[in-house]
Amino acid sequence: MDPVIVIGAGPVGLTLSLALAAQGVPCVLLDEGPGTEEVRLARTVVLREDTADLVERLGAAHLEKDGLRWSGWRSMRRKQLVRDVPLGAGPDASHDAGDSGDVRDFGDAGAAGDQGGPSLPAPLHIPQHALASALRAAVAAAPLVELVLLSRIDTLEQDRDGVTVHTKGSGTTWWRGSYLVGCDGARSTVRKLLDIRFPGRTAVERHAVAALRAELPWPGEAVLHRQPPWRGAGAEVGARPLPDGVWRLDWLLPPRGELVTPDALITRLRDSLAGWCGETPPYELLDTGVHTLHHRLARRWRVQRAFLAGDAAHLLGALGTQGLDEGIRDAENLAWKLAHAWHHRGGDLLLDSYQAERRAAVAARLRAADQSLPILRGGGGLRTLVPGAVRGHDTLLADGHLGRGALGAPPSYSHSPLAPPHAEAHTTVGTPPGAPVADVRVTAPDGTAVRLRERLGQGHPLVILVAPGTGVWDRRHWLTAGIMPRLVEAVEALPSAAELLVTESYPGASAHTVLLVRPDGHLVAAFAGVRPAELFAAARAALGGAPGAGGGDEDGESDENGESGGGERGAARAPGPRERVHADRTARIN
């Protein structure tokens, strides 16, 4: 089959190309830029623990050197510390500072799990240019990815067997692909060529941003300060650390305020540093800017063999939500489905599930942000008299930054079209069906012991047996003992190749529980013991049915609810471009 064409070599397009290549799918990555990254320390991204692990598994090196994992999170209001949340630092993960200033265990699940439970994972804060550079280096080392720079797409045509695009720039040529994914940003040319609407809200939030090197009182911790007590501070200012003593500071601006002049930004900066440190400490200003956030959601994410991902499909970012983090989740979700369809000619149900799952997840995130904005950004009113309102608002604001709740928690695909029907053999574990699995330690049949997350992204489902005691047995014994031979036989009979793993324990699971996990790490179902028929049915459903089968015709078009239907848009294509594609390809090979 022809390679997958990815348009746009930003972090999402680079991640998608690497994820496809890791699953044996060749890609052509077309980008209209020159392949260099502008160094902007005031333009940073926050990656959740799982998405940071994903890009590292795909070959992006030195992320821990270029970025910083926060050691804690502080919320302040006026002169008071409201909340202090250690990140990745033991069981007592959250504290609440009351009016008396005493620090006590917070204890509610909304902060960091139940009292004594695991701490919140530490997100990775990294400049976007450093992340993109690391991904570009990984692409350069990937033999299945061809990166073509200075190539702007201006024509997109589809037929039953693939996609043809024309590019102009340093060289004018036609390209032929099996599928196409537009990762070309908010002004996506692919989205416009597919005639997809992109409704939403403009200028939801505005922030003045500065990157500087200075010593602040909370090394390694991120800070959100609401209603700072110093004059002219505005409603909110945040400080997020980077390596080498560098900080990114964000000041929330009025939605329709005046332009921020350099003098006004310097005044804000000096006043904030003096307010936190008692006096303005020495600092080195490295970068500045004004960041405007929009909320938009594309009506469709799939049209026949063409897809949208990242900023081409959605824009978000208010209240700490992370647009790039969601874009990387798009890439992870789409990659294994395209790989399965590319290798096995999977049907529309599997490919339609990308839009059904990811669009619904991002829409829920946007809806939660839009519902929270009037509460958190509105002025005064009766809500200020409600007991506990300030603390509740602080919790809501922290959710998006810390990766929890409706604004930040990893998505769950419980209503996915790939979810199997409930069966009596299903059992309940600590992870609901459709949610990401816990990153427990697992052992492969060859004796390799790794974290579960390290086995993801290889294009095949995982079957995990919970078997206490296997860690102290010789592998030769437990491979032929108990239910293991029956489970091996059941896994070999699945409709697609799967990897069998064993774990000592899993949250909420009893001994001999069998978990079926999708290639992107979301739980399909859990079974009480070995149930070959039910395991087969669940695996078949998770892969969209039998290879080659699907919910509609190959030329079907997904509507915004993820359903397939016939469509003529983009279906007709003159024979000339395809012949030119093969001629161009032959010339390049020769």
Side-chain angles (χ1 to χ4, degrees):
M1 291 180 65
D2 291 314
V4 172
I5 299 175
V6 179
I7 309 297
V12 175
L14 293 164
T15 300
L16 177 61
S17 300
L18 290 168
L20 287 168
Q23 299 172 59
V25 178
C27 301
V28 174
L29 180 55
L30 305 177
D31 190 69
E32 63 181 63
T36 57
E37 303 295 335
E38 182 184 8
V39 177
R40 291 293 309 275
L41 291 175
R43 188 181 184 189
T44 63
V45 296
V46 177
L47 300 181
R48 311 301 183 204
E49 184 185 44
D50 57 337
T51 50
D53 286 351
L54 169 64
V55 295
E56 287 181 327
R57 289 198 309 272
L58 293 174
H62 309 302
L63 294 189
E64 298 291 344
K65 178 179 71 71
D66 296 322
L68 183 71
R69 291 189 185 269
W70 299 339
S71 60
W73 166 269
R74 286 174 176 260
S75 296
M76 303 170 68
R77 184 173 182 269
R78 297 194 176 100
K79 297 182 179 180
Q80 181 181 352
L81 174 65
V82 178
R83 181 162 302 180
D84 181 6
V85 184
L87 299 175
D92 298 326
S94 182
H95 307 284
D96 182 27
D99 294 337
S100 64
D102 296 331
V103 177
R104 66 181 190 275
D105 290 338
F106 193 74
D108 72 311
D114 294 333
Q115 189 172 357
S119 63
L120 285 171
L124 176 70
H125 186 213
I126 185 170
Q128 183 164 322
H129 70 266
L131 174 63
S133 296
L135 289 167
R136 282 185 187 272
V139 162
L144 289 181
V145 182
E146 179 184 0
L147 174 59
V148 183
L149 303 173
L150 301 175
S151 296
R152 179 178 176 83
I153 179 176
D154 60 3
T155 303
L156 190 160
E157 300 174 350
Q158 299 194 63
D159 56 51
R160 187 178 185 88
D161 299 317
V163 183
T164 303
V165 297
H166 180 265
T167 59
K168 61 181 181 179
S170 58
T172 299
T173 189
W174 292 88
W175 300 87
R176 179 71 176 176
S178 53
Y179 300 95
L180 179 141
V181 186
C183 305
D184 48 342
R187 295 186 173 91
S188 171
T189 301
V190 172
R191 189 183 63 240
K192 295 172 184 176
L193 292 173
L194 294 173
D195 194 24
I196 297 175
R197 292 184 57 207
F198 198 39
R201 300 173 58 195
T202 301
V204 177
E205 284 188 351
R206 293 172 63 240
H207 292 261
V209 184
L212 67 150
R213 183 176 283 108
E215 290 189 13
L216 296 187
W218 330 277
E221 297 186 13
V223 178
L224 183 67
H225 198 158
R226 301 179 66 201
Q227 300 177 7
W230 52 88
R231 185 176 181 179
E236 182 180 298
V237 57
R240 291 182 280 186
L242 286 164
D244 302 323
V246 176
W247 294 79
R248 168 174 164 166
L249 271 56
D250 292 70
W251 294 269
L252 180 66
L253 299 174
R256 293 178 179 82
E258 298 179 356
L259 294 177
V260 180
T261 64
D263 289 342
L265 183 57
I266 292 297
T267 299
R268 285 179 181 268
L269 172 60
R270 295 180 62 86
D271 289 347
S272 297
L273 294 179
W276 286 329
C277 303
E279 60 181 6
T280 303
Y283 68 89
E284 178 186 1
L285 186 61
L286 304 172
D287 192 17
T288 62
V290 175
H291 188 31
T292 303
L293 300 169
H294 312 286
H295 280 181
R296 295 188 179 276
L297 186 65
R299 291 289 190 188
R300 297 176 183 270
W301 290 27
R302 180 193 178 196
V303 176
Q304 298 177 8
R305 289 176 171 267
F307 301 80
L308 299 177
D311 285 355
H314 52 75
L315 295 176
L316 69 162
L319 304 179
T321 55
Q322 301 295 325
L324 180 55
D325 192 81
E326 294 297 333
I328 292 176
R329 294 189 194 279
D330 296 343
E332 182 181 33
N333 186 288
L334 181 57
W336 76 268
K337 296 171 181 177
L338 281 179
H340 187 82
W342 195 90
H343 287 295
H344 305 290
R345 297 188 179 273
D348 279 341
L349 181 60
L350 180 64
L351 297 178
D352 279 345
S353 71
Y354 165 67
Q355 172 174 299
E357 292 175 354
R358 288 301 305 149
R359 189 179 187 278
V362 175
R365 198 84 83 202
L366 286 169
R367 186 162 51 249
D370 287 342
Q371 291 171 349
S372 303
L373 277 167
I375 299 173
L376 297 172
R377 303 306 191 205
L382 292 176
R383 62 183 177 80
T384 60
L385 305 178
V386 178
V390 170
R391 189 157 296 157
H393 296 165
D394 172 77
T395 299
L396 192 59
L397 268 173
D399 282 351
H401 294 276
L402 295 179
R404 68 188 186 199
L407 290 173
S412 177
Y413 306 133
S414 56
H415 299 293
S416 167
L418 304 181
H422 180 74
E424 291 185 4
H426 291 179
T427 188
T428 301
V429 297
T431 301
V437 292
D439 188 25
V440 297
R441 181 163 290 277
V442 296
T443 302
D446 63 0
T448 305
V450 295
R451 305 301 301 184
L452 174 56
R453 199 175 285 162
E454 296 179 36
R455 311 305 292 183
L456 301 177
Q458 300 182 37
H460 49 248
L462 305 177
V463 177
I464 304 168
L465 172 65
V466 180
T470 52
V472 297
W473 296 353
D474 190 292
R475 183 174 59 91
R476 292 172 298 176
H477 299 314
W478 59 258
L479 278 175
T480 58
I483 65 174
M484 196 66 177
R486 290 184 57 222
L487 183 56
V488 170
E489 184 178 347
V491 171
E492 290 177 348
L494 292 179
S496 175
E499 183 175 20
L500 176 57
L501 305 169
V502 178
T503 183
E504 286 268 355
S505 63
Y506 189 88
S510 58
H512 297 168
T513 298
V514 176
L515 309 176
L516 177 63
V517 181
R518 297 186 348 174
D520 59 352
H522 289 256
L523 181 66
V524 178
F527 303 91
V530 180
R531 302 296 184 94
E534 291 84 352
L535 182 63
F536 182 93
R540 182 183 176 93
L543 296 171
D553 184 77
E554 282 285 339
D555 289 336
E557 185 177 309
S558 301
D559 67 15
E560 60 184 291
N561 296 316
E563 298 172 348
S564 285
E568 297 179 355
R569 182 184 300 143
R573 185 183 65 82
R578 180 163 186 169
E579 296 172 358
R580 290 194 292 272
V581 168
H582 289 291
D584 287 342
R585 178 177 298 162
T586 301
R588 288 197 299 272
I589 293 174
N590 294 335

